[in-house]
Structures are given as C-alpha cells and as structure tokens.
Amino acid sequence: MGGGTTVVEALRAGRRIVGNDLNALAVFVARVKTTRLSDAEVAAVEAWSGRTVGQMGYRLARQAVASMLDDRRLKNMDLPRARFIKKIVAGAIKAVGELPTQASQDFARCAILRTAQWALDGRETHTSLGEFREKLAWHLTEMLRTSADFWQEPNLANGLRGDACTLCQGDAAGLAEAPVFANPESKASLVVTSPPYPGVHVLYHRWQVDGRRETPAPYWIANCNDGQGASFYNFGDRHEEDLTTYFESSLRTLRSIRRAMKDGAYIVQMVAFSDPDTQLPRYLDNMQDAGFVEAIATHQRAANGADRIWRTVPGRRWYAVLKGDIAASREVVLVHRVAD
Ligand SMILES: C[S@@+](CC[C@H](N)C(=O)[O-])C[C@H]1O[C@@H](n2cnc3c(N)ncnc32)[C@H](O)[C@@H]1O
C-alpha cells in the first residue's frame, strides 16, 4: 500500500479494505491517514502546534534529548547538513509526549516525519530553524484540514464499520494466510497494487543526506523498527543477473494474492521496468502462472501491446536515482482477473 493512497481512496469509495506492506513506515503513515481524531484530539494538536512549534529550538534542553540521540537509527545524522535538524527533530519528538493520546501523538510524529523529509532528503542546502518551524506548522494545519475533509466524505461521515479497514505489516507472500482472509466471504474482489519494480532500485527505507549518504532516521521519527537492506523491499537485488530472485519472489507473492481473491476478482497493478521489452513479457508470464488472465481481450490488443496504459512517472524519487535509464521512468497499468 506504500503511503496508503489506495487505502484512503477505498474508504472514500465505501469499500472494505485490507492494506498490506512489508515496511513499518508505510504502515505507520497509512495508519495515521486512516485514524479519525476526536474533536478533543484535534483541539490538542492545534494547541500543541501553536504552543510547541513556536518555541521549538529553544526547548532543546540537552539532557532531555540526550538519551534519544543515542540511537542506531541516527546513522549519518551527524553530517553537517543533518545534525542541526537532528536536534530540532529530537526536541519536537520529545514534545510529542505532551499530546494526550497515541493517535494524536502519531499524527504529530507524521507531520514531523514529513517536515524532516522535506528538510533533509536529497536537499542540497541547509534548512534554518525558522524554515523548519514554519513548514511544520503548515504541515500540521494542512493535515488537520485534509483529515477533517476526509472524514466528512459521504461514505465516512457516519463512521467506519469495525471491519472496514485492516492494515497489515508483512510479506505479501503470506497474505493469503492472514486471519482477515480466513473466511471465503471476506476474500478480495479487487486488488490494487504497485509491486517492487524489476531492475529498479528504490530507497523505500532511507533518506539521503549530504550528498547521498543514507540514513534510517525516518524509523527513529516514526518510532518503528528499521527494516533491512534495499533488496528486502525490492524483491531482491536489482544488480542480480537475470533478476531470478525478483521474478521468483514476484511469482510467490502473486500466487498468495490469488489465494486471497474471490473467483472472478480483478487485480490492477502499476509496474515500472528497467527494461520493459524483456521484463514485461516475463511479468505477464508470472501473472499467467499465478492464475490470472489479462482483462483486455487479446483480439482487442494491437500487436505491439500499445493499447496498455503507460505513463511517465511523475516526480518520483527513484527517477532521480536512475539517471540515464529512461525506460524505467515509464510505468504500465496492468488489469487482470482471476482465471476461470
Ligand atoms: C512500488 S512501491 C509502491 C509505491 C506506492 N505505489 C506509493 O506510491 O507509495 C512497492 C511497495 O511494496 C512494498 N513491498 C516490497 N516487498 C513487499 C512484500 N514482499 N510484501 C509486501 N509489501 C512489499 C514496499 O515496502 C513498497 O512500499
């Protein structure tokens, strides 16, 4: 589910949704986006923003944050462009404890996460305390407004049914065995996913500070476990010759997803490739092996497959990583259904 867009849109559409991702950060962000704050919690976050953000930086009692700064997840946060932000963020996280509930604290952490990413990740200039405070206040205001709008949507205004939204953190290859799919009636009638991309390395789990030095600091801010290396989040190493691990992992995952789906259900995917000419056919073979048929009938298809929807990936981080590798800046939408 990545950052949870599919989960949010499913709820707006009045659907029951199960969101899954391997990455604790994705689950954290999706949980914040789908947790409704009470009026009292909203008021507490607003007050916190006005009071704390305005003073932030002057609250850096060293002893108060010293223990927080001794953390493995702060690797590379002592680099010149990061260490100032590290201290501001430590003070901000410390102040999160003033909020009354887990939901309101996570909401504030999410705003800090977003602001710190803006201040650090891939940035080539220093961020001042004033800029950080201004941006954090803006993110809090914007997130509160967006959240209020979201929960007033027609399908959400009366609250969610207890089973409307389930978020799981785990390998999708085990998804079919998750308790939420135990009952045949509860299996999925639609799957929407953007899997790891063959041959494309994406930094889902690190920010790049001070010229490409990687830091796991987002896990520190979100207060969740750092995952593992990049290959863990990408179905293997993009440099592996022939991408055997990628396609084996992909097939295992697709088979599991198939078992979590109802007969006749659809799966919609967005996938990018480092070499579409060789990798798309292999990907389509995997889909067939996993028990899916493409929903566009073969006789409707132009011989070159040009009727599939392709798009240029807009402003994604990995696009920058790929310099010169133009093929992978395009992604395709694949629509399949469970084979009869
Ligand atoms: C291409 S990204 C999806 C990005 C998403 N569309 C977005 O815009 O945020 C692939 C996602 O799959 C997750 N992922 C990778 N391997 C996985 C696995 N085996 N099981 C579940 N999720 C996995 C990654 O953590 C990442 O969030």
Side-chain angles (χ1 to χ4, degrees), residues 213-277:
R213 307 284 288 279
E214 296 180 9
T215 178
Y219 293 87
W220 173 68
I221 299 173
N223 195 26
C224 52
N225 285 333
D226 180 14
Q228 314 190 21
S231 59
F232 181 69
Y233 296 108
N234 286 285
F235 282 173
D237 183 344
R238 73 179 161 133
H239 295 302
E240 186 190 26
E241 212 179 315
D242 210 28
L243 296 177
T244 306
T245 309
Y246 175 92
F247 282 101
E248 282 176 4
S249 304
S250 157
L251 181 57
R252 208 169 41 246
T253 305
L254 290 166
R255 285 191 166 133
S256 166
I257 290 173
R258 160 70 190 93
R259 292 198 302 279
M261 293 170 71
K262 288 181 174 148
D263 289 345
Y266 280 82
I267 173 167
V268 179
Q269 306 175 81
M270 228 186 274
V271 198
F273 305 91
S274 63
D275 178 14
D277 291 345

Short mmCIF file of all heavy atoms in Angstrom, two decimals, residues 213-277:
data_model
loop_
_atom_site.label_atom_id
_atom_site.label_comp_id
_atom_site.label_asym_id
_atom_site.label_seq_id
_atom_site.Cartn_x
_atom_site.Cartn_y
_atom_site.Cartn_z
N ARG A 213 24.38 10.20 1.33
CA ARG A 213 24.65 9.31 2.46
C ARG A 213 23.30 8.90 3.03
O ARG A 213 22.44 9.75 3.29
CB ARG A 213 25.49 10.03 3.51
CG ARG A 213 26.77 10.64 2.92
CD ARG A 213 27.83 9.58 2.67
NE ARG A 213 28.38 9.11 3.93
CZ ARG A 213 29.32 9.76 4.61
NH1 ARG A 213 29.81 10.89 4.16
NH2 ARG A 213 29.79 9.27 5.74
N GLU A 214 23.13 7.61 3.26
CA GLU A 214 21.80 7.12 3.62
C GLU A 214 21.59 7.09 5.14
O GLU A 214 22.46 6.68 5.88
CB GLU A 214 21.59 5.72 3.04
CG GLU A 214 21.60 5.74 1.52
CD GLU A 214 21.39 4.38 0.91
OE1 GLU A 214 21.06 3.42 1.64
OE2 GLU A 214 21.55 4.28 -0.31
N THR A 215 20.40 7.50 5.55
CA THR A 215 20.07 7.44 6.98
C THR A 215 18.73 6.74 7.20
O THR A 215 17.77 6.96 6.45
CB THR A 215 20.02 8.84 7.62
OG1 THR A 215 19.65 8.69 8.99
CG2 THR A 215 19.01 9.76 6.94
N PRO A 216 18.65 5.89 8.24
CA PRO A 216 17.37 5.28 8.61
C PRO A 216 16.56 6.17 9.56
O PRO A 216 15.63 5.70 10.21
CB PRO A 216 17.78 3.98 9.31
CG PRO A 216 19.18 4.20 9.79
CD PRO A 216 19.79 5.34 9.02
N ALA A 217 16.89 7.46 9.63
CA ALA A 217 16.22 8.36 10.58
C ALA A 217 14.69 8.35 10.50
O ALA A 217 14.04 8.56 11.53
CB ALA A 217 16.75 9.79 10.41
N PRO A 218 14.07 8.13 9.33
CA PRO A 218 12.60 8.12 9.35
C PRO A 218 12.03 7.11 10.34
O PRO A 218 10.97 7.36 10.94
CB PRO A 218 12.21 7.78 7.91
CG PRO A 218 13.46 7.47 7.17
CD PRO A 218 14.59 8.06 7.94
N TYR A 219 12.71 5.99 10.56
CA TYR A 219 12.21 5.00 11.52
C TYR A 219 12.33 5.52 12.95
O TYR A 219 11.50 5.21 13.80
CB TYR A 219 12.99 3.67 11.37
CG TYR A 219 12.71 3.00 10.05
CD1 TYR A 219 13.47 3.31 8.92
CD2 TYR A 219 11.68 2.08 9.91
CE1 TYR A 219 13.21 2.72 7.70
CE2 TYR A 219 11.41 1.48 8.70
CZ TYR A 219 12.18 1.80 7.59
OH TYR A 219 11.91 1.23 6.39
N TRP A 220 13.36 6.30 13.18
CA TRP A 220 13.53 6.92 14.50
C TRP A 220 12.38 7.89 14.76
O TRP A 220 11.76 7.89 15.83
CB TRP A 220 14.89 7.65 14.50
CG TRP A 220 15.22 8.48 15.68
CD1 TRP A 220 15.48 8.04 16.95
CD2 TRP A 220 15.37 9.91 15.71
NE1 TRP A 220 15.78 9.11 17.76
CE2 TRP A 220 15.73 10.27 17.03
CE3 TRP A 220 15.25 10.91 14.75
CZ2 TRP A 220 15.94 11.60 17.41
CZ3 TRP A 220 15.48 12.22 15.12
CH2 TRP A 220 15.81 12.56 16.45
N ILE A 221 12.05 8.69 13.76
CA ILE A 221 10.99 9.69 13.93
C ILE A 221 9.62 9.01 14.09
O ILE A 221 8.82 9.40 14.94
CB ILE A 221 10.97 10.67 12.73
CG1 ILE A 221 12.31 11.41 12.66
CG2 ILE A 221 9.80 11.64 12.84
CD1 ILE A 221 12.48 12.27 11.43
N ALA A 222 9.38 7.99 13.29
CA ALA A 222 8.07 7.32 13.34
C ALA A 222 8.00 6.31 14.48
O ALA A 222 6.96 5.70 14.70
CB ALA A 222 7.78 6.63 12.01
N ASN A 223 9.13 6.14 15.17
CA ASN A 223 9.17 5.22 16.30
C ASN A 223 8.82 3.79 15.89
O ASN A 223 7.99 3.14 16.51
CB ASN A 223 8.21 5.70 17.41
CG ASN A 223 8.48 5.00 18.73
OD1 ASN A 223 9.59 4.56 18.97
ND2 ASN A 223 7.46 4.89 19.56
N CYS A 224 9.42 3.35 14.78
CA CYS A 224 9.19 1.95 14.40
C CYS A 224 10.50 1.29 13.99
O CYS A 224 11.52 1.96 13.81
CB CYS A 224 8.12 1.83 13.33
SG CYS A 224 8.33 2.84 11.89
N ASN A 225 10.44 -0.01 13.86
CA ASN A 225 11.65 -0.78 13.61
C ASN A 225 12.19 -0.53 12.22
O ASN A 225 11.46 -0.57 11.23
CB ASN A 225 11.37 -2.28 13.75
CG ASN A 225 11.23 -2.68 15.19
OD1 ASN A 225 11.80 -2.02 16.07
ND2 ASN A 225 10.46 -3.71 15.44
N ASP A 226 13.49 -0.29 12.17
CA ASP A 226 14.16 -0.20 10.88
C ASP A 226 14.08 -1.57 10.24
O ASP A 226 14.27 -2.59 10.89
CB ASP A 226 15.62 0.20 11.13
CG ASP A 226 16.40 0.31 9.84
OD1 ASP A 226 15.77 0.35 8.77
OD2 ASP A 226 17.62 0.38 9.91
N GLY A 227 13.80 -1.57 8.97
CA GLY A 227 13.70 -2.85 8.27
C GLY A 227 15.07 -3.37 7.95
O GLY A 227 15.94 -3.42 8.81
N GLN A 228 15.28 -3.72 6.72
CA GLN A 228 16.54 -4.34 6.35
C GLN A 228 17.10 -3.62 5.13
O GLN A 228 16.72 -2.50 4.85
CB GLN A 228 16.29 -5.81 6.11
CG GLN A 228 15.46 -6.37 7.24
CD GLN A 228 15.34 -7.85 7.23
OE1 GLN A 228 16.14 -8.54 6.64
NE2 GLN A 228 14.33 -8.36 7.90
N GLY A 229 17.96 -4.31 4.39
CA GLY A 229 18.58 -3.66 3.24
C GLY A 229 17.59 -3.42 2.12
O GLY A 229 16.46 -3.88 2.16
N ALA A 230 18.05 -2.67 1.11
CA ALA A 230 17.18 -2.32 0.00
C ALA A 230 16.59 -3.55 -0.68
O ALA A 230 15.43 -3.55 -1.11
CB ALA A 230 17.94 -1.48 -1.02
N SER A 231 17.37 -4.65 -0.76
CA SER A 231 16.87 -5.81 -1.50
C SER A 231 15.65 -6.42 -0.80
O SER A 231 14.80 -7.03 -1.43
CB SER A 231 17.97 -6.86 -1.68
OG SER A 231 18.43 -7.28 -0.43
N PHE A 232 15.55 -6.20 0.51
CA PHE A 232 14.40 -6.69 1.27
C PHE A 232 13.10 -6.08 0.76
O PHE A 232 12.06 -6.74 0.70
CB PHE A 232 14.62 -6.33 2.74
CG PHE A 232 13.54 -6.78 3.69
CD1 PHE A 232 13.35 -8.12 3.97
CD2 PHE A 232 12.73 -5.84 4.33
CE1 PHE A 232 12.37 -8.53 4.87
CE2 PHE A 232 11.76 -6.24 5.23
CZ PHE A 232 11.57 -7.58 5.49
N TYR A 233 13.16 -4.82 0.38
CA TYR A 233 11.95 -4.10 -0.05
C TYR A 233 11.74 -4.12 -1.56
O TYR A 233 10.79 -3.54 -2.05
CB TYR A 233 12.03 -2.63 0.40
CG TYR A 233 12.05 -2.47 1.91
CD1 TYR A 233 13.20 -2.09 2.58
CD2 TYR A 233 10.91 -2.72 2.66
CE1 TYR A 233 13.22 -1.93 3.95
CE2 TYR A 233 10.91 -2.58 4.03
CZ TYR A 233 12.07 -2.19 4.68
OH TYR A 233 12.08 -2.06 6.03
N ASN A 234 12.65 -4.74 -2.28
CA ASN A 234 12.60 -4.67 -3.74
C ASN A 234 12.56 -6.04 -4.42
O ASN A 234 12.94 -6.15 -5.58
CB ASN A 234 13.80 -3.87 -4.27
CG ASN A 234 13.64 -2.38 -4.01
OD1 ASN A 234 12.87 -1.70 -4.68
ND2 ASN A 234 14.37 -1.86 -3.02
N PHE A 235 12.12 -7.07 -3.70
CA PHE A 235 12.11 -8.43 -4.28
C PHE A 235 13.51 -8.82 -4.75
O PHE A 235 13.67 -9.42 -5.82
CB PHE A 235 11.17 -8.52 -5.48
CG PHE A 235 9.70 -8.61 -5.17
CD1 PHE A 235 8.77 -8.56 -6.21
CD2 PHE A 235 9.22 -8.78 -3.88
CE1 PHE A 235 7.41 -8.65 -5.97
CE2 PHE A 235 7.85 -8.87 -3.62
CZ PHE A 235 6.95 -8.79 -4.68
N GLY A 236 14.55 -8.47 -4.02
CA GLY A 236 15.90 -8.87 -4.41
C GLY A 236 16.73 -7.71 -4.91
O GLY A 236 16.29 -6.57 -4.91
N ASP A 237 17.93 -8.06 -5.34
CA ASP A 237 18.92 -7.05 -5.73
C ASP A 237 18.77 -6.72 -7.21
O ASP A 237 18.78 -7.62 -8.06
CB ASP A 237 20.31 -7.66 -5.44
CG ASP A 237 21.42 -6.68 -5.74
OD1 ASP A 237 21.17 -5.67 -6.43
OD2 ASP A 237 22.55 -6.94 -5.27
N ARG A 238 18.68 -5.45 -7.52
CA ARG A 238 18.44 -5.09 -8.92
C ARG A 238 19.64 -5.44 -9.80
O ARG A 238 19.54 -5.47 -11.02
CB ARG A 238 18.12 -3.61 -9.06
CG ARG A 238 19.33 -2.73 -8.85
CD ARG A 238 19.01 -1.28 -9.01
NE ARG A 238 20.06 -0.51 -8.38
CZ ARG A 238 20.67 0.51 -8.92
NH1 ARG A 238 20.31 0.91 -10.12
NH2 ARG A 238 21.60 1.16 -8.28
N HIS A 239 20.82 -5.67 -9.19
CA HIS A 239 22.01 -5.99 -9.99
C HIS A 239 22.13 -7.48 -10.29
O HIS A 239 23.00 -7.88 -11.03
CB HIS A 239 23.28 -5.53 -9.27
CG HIS A 239 23.35 -4.03 -9.13
ND1 HIS A 239 23.31 -3.20 -10.22
CD2 HIS A 239 23.43 -3.23 -8.05
CE1 HIS A 239 23.37 -1.95 -9.81
NE2 HIS A 239 23.42 -1.94 -8.49
N GLU A 240 21.25 -8.27 -9.68
CA GLU A 240 21.36 -9.70 -9.91
C GLU A 240 21.13 -9.99 -11.40
O GLU A 240 20.15 -9.54 -11.99
CB GLU A 240 20.31 -10.46 -9.09
CG GLU A 240 20.47 -11.95 -9.20
CD GLU A 240 19.29 -12.71 -8.58
OE1 GLU A 240 18.18 -12.14 -8.55
OE2 GLU A 240 19.47 -13.85 -8.17
N GLU A 241 22.04 -10.76 -11.93
CA GLU A 241 21.93 -11.09 -13.35
C GLU A 241 20.63 -11.86 -13.57
O GLU A 241 20.28 -12.73 -12.77
CB GLU A 241 23.12 -11.95 -13.75
CG GLU A 241 23.54 -11.71 -15.19
CD GLU A 241 24.74 -12.57 -15.54
OE1 GLU A 241 25.68 -12.63 -14.72
OE2 GLU A 241 24.70 -13.16 -16.62
N ASP A 242 19.90 -11.52 -14.57
CA ASP A 242 18.67 -12.24 -14.90
C ASP A 242 17.51 -12.02 -13.92
O ASP A 242 16.41 -12.50 -14.14
CB ASP A 242 18.97 -13.75 -15.00
CG ASP A 242 18.03 -14.39 -15.99
OD1 ASP A 242 17.58 -13.68 -16.92
OD2 ASP A 242 17.70 -15.57 -15.81
N LEU A 243 17.75 -11.34 -12.82
CA LEU A 243 16.69 -10.99 -11.87
C LEU A 243 15.86 -12.21 -11.41
O LEU A 243 14.65 -12.11 -11.20
CB LEU A 243 15.76 -9.92 -12.46
CG LEU A 243 16.41 -8.56 -12.74
CD1 LEU A 243 15.39 -7.62 -13.40
CD2 LEU A 243 16.95 -7.91 -11.46
N THR A 244 16.57 -13.34 -11.27
CA THR A 244 15.86 -14.57 -10.89
C THR A 244 15.12 -14.39 -9.57
O THR A 244 13.95 -14.77 -9.44
CB THR A 244 16.86 -15.74 -10.77
OG1 THR A 244 17.57 -15.80 -11.99
CG2 THR A 244 16.15 -17.05 -10.52
N THR A 245 15.81 -13.80 -8.58
CA THR A 245 15.18 -13.64 -7.27
C THR A 245 13.94 -12.77 -7.38
O THR A 245 12.90 -13.05 -6.78
CB THR A 245 16.16 -13.01 -6.26
OG1 THR A 245 17.37 -13.75 -6.30
CG2 THR A 245 15.60 -13.02 -4.85
N TYR A 246 14.05 -11.69 -8.17
CA TYR A 246 12.89 -10.80 -8.34
C TYR A 246 11.69 -11.59 -8.86
O TYR A 246 10.60 -11.55 -8.28
CB TYR A 246 13.21 -9.63 -9.31
CG TYR A 246 11.96 -8.80 -9.55
CD1 TYR A 246 11.68 -7.69 -8.76
CD2 TYR A 246 11.00 -9.19 -10.50
CE1 TYR A 246 10.50 -6.97 -8.92
CE2 TYR A 246 9.82 -8.48 -10.66
CZ TYR A 246 9.58 -7.38 -9.88
OH TYR A 246 8.42 -6.69 -10.02
N PHE A 247 11.90 -12.32 -9.96
CA PHE A 247 10.75 -12.97 -10.59
C PHE A 247 10.23 -14.14 -9.75
O PHE A 247 9.02 -14.41 -9.74
CB PHE A 247 11.07 -13.36 -12.04
CG PHE A 247 11.00 -12.15 -12.95
CD1 PHE A 247 12.16 -11.50 -13.35
CD2 PHE A 247 9.78 -11.62 -13.34
CE1 PHE A 247 12.10 -10.35 -14.15
CE2 PHE A 247 9.70 -10.48 -14.14
CZ PHE A 247 10.87 -9.85 -14.55
N GLU A 248 11.12 -14.80 -9.00
CA GLU A 248 10.63 -15.87 -8.10
C GLU A 248 9.81 -15.27 -6.96
O GLU A 248 8.74 -15.78 -6.62
CB GLU A 248 11.82 -16.66 -7.53
CG GLU A 248 12.39 -17.65 -8.53
CD GLU A 248 13.64 -18.36 -8.00
OE1 GLU A 248 14.02 -18.14 -6.82
OE2 GLU A 248 14.23 -19.12 -8.79
N SER A 249 10.29 -14.17 -6.39
CA SER A 249 9.55 -13.53 -5.29
C SER A 249 8.21 -13.02 -5.80
O SER A 249 7.17 -13.14 -5.14
CB SER A 249 10.32 -12.33 -4.72
OG SER A 249 11.57 -12.72 -4.31
N SER A 250 8.26 -12.43 -6.99
CA SER A 250 7.03 -11.87 -7.57
C SER A 250 6.00 -12.99 -7.79
O SER A 250 4.82 -12.85 -7.44
CB SER A 250 7.40 -11.17 -8.89
OG SER A 250 6.29 -11.09 -9.73
N LEU A 251 6.45 -14.14 -8.31
CA LEU A 251 5.52 -15.24 -8.57
C LEU A 251 4.92 -15.77 -7.26
O LEU A 251 3.70 -15.99 -7.16
CB LEU A 251 6.23 -16.37 -9.33
CG LEU A 251 5.34 -17.57 -9.69
CD1 LEU A 251 4.13 -17.14 -10.53
CD2 LEU A 251 6.15 -18.63 -10.44
N ARG A 252 5.77 -15.94 -6.25
CA ARG A 252 5.30 -16.42 -4.96
C ARG A 252 4.24 -15.46 -4.39
O ARG A 252 3.19 -15.87 -3.90
CB ARG A 252 6.50 -16.50 -4.01
CG ARG A 252 6.38 -17.52 -2.93
CD ARG A 252 7.65 -17.80 -2.15
NE ARG A 252 8.43 -16.63 -1.81
CZ ARG A 252 9.65 -16.39 -2.29
NH1 ARG A 252 10.21 -17.22 -3.15
NH2 ARG A 252 10.31 -15.30 -1.94
N THR A 253 4.53 -14.18 -4.52
CA THR A 253 3.61 -13.17 -3.99
C THR A 253 2.30 -13.16 -4.77
O THR A 253 1.21 -13.11 -4.18
CB THR A 253 4.30 -11.79 -4.08
OG1 THR A 253 5.54 -11.87 -3.41
CG2 THR A 253 3.44 -10.71 -3.45
N LEU A 254 2.40 -13.23 -6.09
CA LEU A 254 1.18 -13.19 -6.91
C LEU A 254 0.30 -14.41 -6.62
O LEU A 254 -0.93 -14.31 -6.60
CB LEU A 254 1.55 -13.12 -8.40
CG LEU A 254 2.16 -11.78 -8.84
CD1 LEU A 254 2.79 -11.89 -10.22
CD2 LEU A 254 1.10 -10.67 -8.82
N ARG A 255 0.94 -15.56 -6.39
CA ARG A 255 0.15 -16.77 -6.07
C ARG A 255 -0.58 -16.60 -4.76
O ARG A 255 -1.74 -17.01 -4.62
CB ARG A 255 1.07 -18.00 -6.01
CG ARG A 255 1.49 -18.45 -7.39
CD ARG A 255 2.18 -19.82 -7.34
NE ARG A 255 2.27 -20.37 -8.68
CZ ARG A 255 3.36 -20.91 -9.20
NH1 ARG A 255 4.46 -21.02 -8.49
NH2 ARG A 255 3.35 -21.38 -10.43
N SER A 256 0.10 -15.98 -3.79
CA SER A 256 -0.54 -15.76 -2.50
C SER A 256 -1.71 -14.78 -2.65
O SER A 256 -2.80 -15.00 -2.10
CB SER A 256 0.50 -15.21 -1.51
OG SER A 256 -0.13 -14.69 -0.38
N ILE A 257 -1.47 -13.73 -3.42
CA ILE A 257 -2.53 -12.75 -3.64
C ILE A 257 -3.73 -13.42 -4.32
O ILE A 257 -4.88 -13.19 -3.95
CB ILE A 257 -2.00 -11.56 -4.48
CG1 ILE A 257 -1.02 -10.74 -3.63
CG2 ILE A 257 -3.14 -10.68 -4.99
CD1 ILE A 257 -0.30 -9.64 -4.38
N ARG A 258 -3.44 -14.28 -5.26
CA ARG A 258 -4.52 -15.01 -5.95
C ARG A 258 -5.37 -15.79 -4.94
O ARG A 258 -6.59 -15.81 -5.03
CB ARG A 258 -3.92 -15.96 -7.01
CG ARG A 258 -4.81 -17.09 -7.48
CD ARG A 258 -6.00 -16.58 -8.31
NE ARG A 258 -6.98 -17.63 -8.57
CZ ARG A 258 -8.05 -17.86 -7.82
NH1 ARG A 258 -8.27 -17.13 -6.73
NH2 ARG A 258 -8.90 -18.80 -8.15
N ARG A 259 -4.71 -16.43 -3.96
CA ARG A 259 -5.44 -17.23 -2.97
C ARG A 259 -6.29 -16.35 -2.04
O ARG A 259 -7.23 -16.83 -1.42
CB ARG A 259 -4.47 -18.08 -2.12
CG ARG A 259 -3.78 -19.19 -2.90
CD ARG A 259 -3.19 -20.26 -1.96
NE ARG A 259 -2.24 -19.72 -1.00
CZ ARG A 259 -0.96 -19.45 -1.25
NH1 ARG A 259 -0.46 -19.66 -2.45
NH2 ARG A 259 -0.17 -18.96 -0.31
N ALA A 260 -5.93 -15.07 -1.96
CA ALA A 260 -6.71 -14.16 -1.11
C ALA A 260 -7.87 -13.52 -1.88
O ALA A 260 -8.58 -12.68 -1.33
CB ALA A 260 -5.80 -13.08 -0.53
N MET A 261 -8.04 -13.91 -3.16
CA MET A 261 -9.06 -13.26 -4.00
C MET A 261 -10.24 -14.19 -4.28
O MET A 261 -10.10 -15.40 -4.36
CB MET A 261 -8.43 -12.83 -5.35
CG MET A 261 -7.41 -11.73 -5.20
SD MET A 261 -6.45 -11.43 -6.72
CE MET A 261 -7.68 -10.67 -7.78
N LYS A 262 -11.40 -13.55 -4.48
CA LYS A 262 -12.60 -14.30 -4.87
C LYS A 262 -12.48 -14.71 -6.35
O LYS A 262 -11.75 -14.06 -7.11
CB LYS A 262 -13.83 -13.41 -4.75
CG LYS A 262 -14.23 -13.13 -3.32
CD LYS A 262 -15.49 -12.27 -3.28
CE LYS A 262 -15.94 -12.12 -1.84
NZ LYS A 262 -16.58 -10.85 -1.56
N ASP A 263 -13.24 -15.71 -6.74
CA ASP A 263 -13.31 -16.06 -8.16
C ASP A 263 -13.80 -14.85 -8.94
O ASP A 263 -14.71 -14.14 -8.47
CB ASP A 263 -14.27 -17.23 -8.37
CG ASP A 263 -13.69 -18.54 -7.82
OD1 ASP A 263 -12.47 -18.57 -7.56
OD2 ASP A 263 -14.46 -19.49 -7.64
N GLY A 264 -13.22 -14.63 -10.09
CA GLY A 264 -13.68 -13.54 -10.96
C GLY A 264 -13.20 -12.17 -10.53
O GLY A 264 -13.49 -11.17 -11.18
N ALA A 265 -12.42 -12.11 -9.43
CA ALA A 265 -11.97 -10.79 -8.93
C ALA A 265 -10.90 -10.20 -9.85
O ALA A 265 -10.25 -10.92 -10.60
CB ALA A 265 -11.41 -10.96 -7.52
N TYR A 266 -10.73 -8.91 -9.74
CA TYR A 266 -9.77 -8.19 -10.59
C TYR A 266 -8.55 -7.75 -9.79
O TYR A 266 -8.63 -7.48 -8.58
CB TYR A 266 -10.44 -6.94 -11.18
CG TYR A 266 -11.32 -7.26 -12.36
CD1 TYR A 266 -12.62 -7.72 -12.18
CD2 TYR A 266 -10.83 -7.13 -13.65
CE1 TYR A 266 -13.43 -8.03 -13.26
CE2 TYR A 266 -11.63 -7.44 -14.75
CZ TYR A 266 -12.92 -7.89 -14.54
OH TYR A 266 -13.70 -8.21 -15.61
N ILE A 267 -7.42 -7.67 -10.50
CA ILE A 267 -6.21 -7.10 -9.92
C ILE A 267 -5.65 -6.05 -10.87
O ILE A 267 -5.48 -6.30 -12.06
CB ILE A 267 -5.15 -8.19 -9.57
CG1 ILE A 267 -3.83 -7.55 -9.12
CG2 ILE A 267 -4.91 -9.16 -10.72
CD1 ILE A 267 -2.84 -8.54 -8.48
N VAL A 268 -5.45 -4.87 -10.33
CA VAL A 268 -4.94 -3.73 -11.11
C VAL A 268 -3.57 -3.38 -10.55
O VAL A 268 -3.43 -3.20 -9.33
CB VAL A 268 -5.88 -2.51 -10.98
CG1 VAL A 268 -5.33 -1.33 -11.77
CG2 VAL A 268 -7.29 -2.88 -11.43
N GLN A 269 -2.58 -3.29 -11.42
CA GLN A 269 -1.22 -3.03 -10.94
C GLN A 269 -0.56 -1.93 -11.74
O GLN A 269 -0.79 -1.80 -12.94
CB GLN A 269 -0.33 -4.26 -11.14
CG GLN A 269 -0.85 -5.51 -10.57
CD GLN A 269 0.04 -6.69 -10.95
OE1 GLN A 269 1.07 -6.89 -10.33
NE2 GLN A 269 -0.36 -7.42 -11.96
N MET A 270 0.28 -1.19 -11.08
CA MET A 270 1.15 -0.24 -11.77
C MET A 270 2.58 -0.72 -11.61
O MET A 270 3.05 -0.91 -10.49
CB MET A 270 0.98 1.13 -11.15
CG MET A 270 0.78 2.18 -12.20
SD MET A 270 0.77 3.78 -11.47
CE MET A 270 -0.91 3.93 -11.01
N VAL A 271 3.25 -0.96 -12.70
CA VAL A 271 4.61 -1.52 -12.64
C VAL A 271 5.54 -0.76 -13.59
O VAL A 271 5.17 -0.50 -14.74
CB VAL A 271 4.64 -3.01 -13.08
CG1 VAL A 271 5.92 -3.67 -12.59
CG2 VAL A 271 3.43 -3.78 -12.60
N ALA A 272 6.73 -0.45 -13.11
CA ALA A 272 7.76 0.13 -13.98
C ALA A 272 8.88 -0.89 -14.17
O ALA A 272 9.01 -1.84 -13.38
CB ALA A 272 8.32 1.41 -13.35
N PHE A 273 9.67 -0.72 -15.22
CA PHE A 273 10.70 -1.70 -15.57
C PHE A 273 11.99 -0.98 -15.94
O PHE A 273 11.94 0.10 -16.54
CB PHE A 273 10.25 -2.52 -16.78
CG PHE A 273 8.92 -3.18 -16.61
CD1 PHE A 273 7.75 -2.52 -17.01
CD2 PHE A 273 8.81 -4.43 -16.05
CE1 PHE A 273 6.50 -3.12 -16.84
CE2 PHE A 273 7.58 -5.03 -15.88
CZ PHE A 273 6.42 -4.38 -16.27
N SER A 274 13.13 -1.62 -15.64
CA SER A 274 14.37 -1.04 -16.14
C SER A 274 14.55 -1.41 -17.61
O SER A 274 15.22 -0.72 -18.35
CB SER A 274 15.58 -1.50 -15.31
OG SER A 274 15.75 -2.89 -15.42
N ASP A 275 13.92 -2.53 -18.03
CA ASP A 275 13.99 -2.95 -19.44
C ASP A 275 12.64 -3.58 -19.83
O ASP A 275 12.48 -4.80 -19.78
CB ASP A 275 15.14 -3.97 -19.61
CG ASP A 275 15.23 -4.47 -21.03
OD1 ASP A 275 14.60 -3.87 -21.93
OD2 ASP A 275 15.91 -5.50 -21.24
N PRO A 276 11.68 -2.73 -20.19
CA PRO A 276 10.32 -3.24 -20.43
C PRO A 276 10.25 -4.32 -21.50
O PRO A 276 9.45 -5.25 -21.38
CB PRO A 276 9.55 -1.99 -20.90
CG PRO A 276 10.39 -0.82 -20.54
CD PRO A 276 11.80 -1.28 -20.40
N ASP A 277 11.10 -4.25 -22.52
CA ASP A 277 10.98 -5.21 -23.63
C ASP A 277 11.18 -6.64 -23.18
O ASP A 277 10.50 -7.55 -23.65
CB ASP A 277 11.98 -4.88 -24.75
CG ASP A 277 11.61 -3.58 -25.45
OD1 ASP A 277 10.45 -3.12 -25.27
OD2 ASP A 277 12.46 -3.01 -26.16
#
